[in-house]
Amino acid sequence: QVRLVESGGGSVQAGGSLRLSCKISEYIGGYYCMAWFRQVPGKEREGVAGIDRDPYTYYADSVKGRFTISIDNTLIMNNLKPEDTGIYYCVTETAWRCRHDLLNPNTYSNWGQGTQVTVSS
């Protein structure tokens, strides 16, 4: 089955930057969409950034202008805020229709284990 392994999380001060990476292994075929989600206790999963094979990108309003997703599913996060704290998950989907709803968690079949991002004020 598809395995997704996130890396690059850690603790930073507000205003700092992090670069999250997602390594994909043991998969069959390719995928059409990739994205990052985040979650904190007591809150729903939040779609952060997504990209398809065109590549078309889509960002949550809360991170637009600060985060950048690349075709290899690297997520560059700049000007981090305490509200960005959470567990970040790399996700992929092979079905082409995923392109129409990139930040919906139900779009994705494959999820990584998550990497913790902590932003202190």
Side-chain angles (χ1 to χ4, degrees), residues 69-85:
I69 188 170
S70 299
I71 198 167
D72 64 353
N73 210 16
T74 295
L75 184 69
I76 299 173
M77 305 186 294
N78 294 318
N79 193 25
L80 285 161
K81 305 175 180 180
E83 306 87 79
D84 295 317
T85 293

Side-chain angles (χ1 to χ4, degrees), residues 22-60:
C22 178
K23 184 175 181 179
I24 305 171
S25 62
E26 199 172 344
Y27 66 94
I28 300 175
Y31 49 86
Y32 291 96
C33 302
M34 301 166 284
W36 287 88
F37 287 78
R38 65 188 180 192
Q39 188 167 23
V40 298
K43 297 185 66 176
E44 297 292 327
R45 290 172 297 180
E46 178 186 13
V48 174
I51 186 168
D52 67 19
R53 302 290 279 268
D54 286 339
Y56 171 80
T57 58
Y58 194 82
Y59 298 91

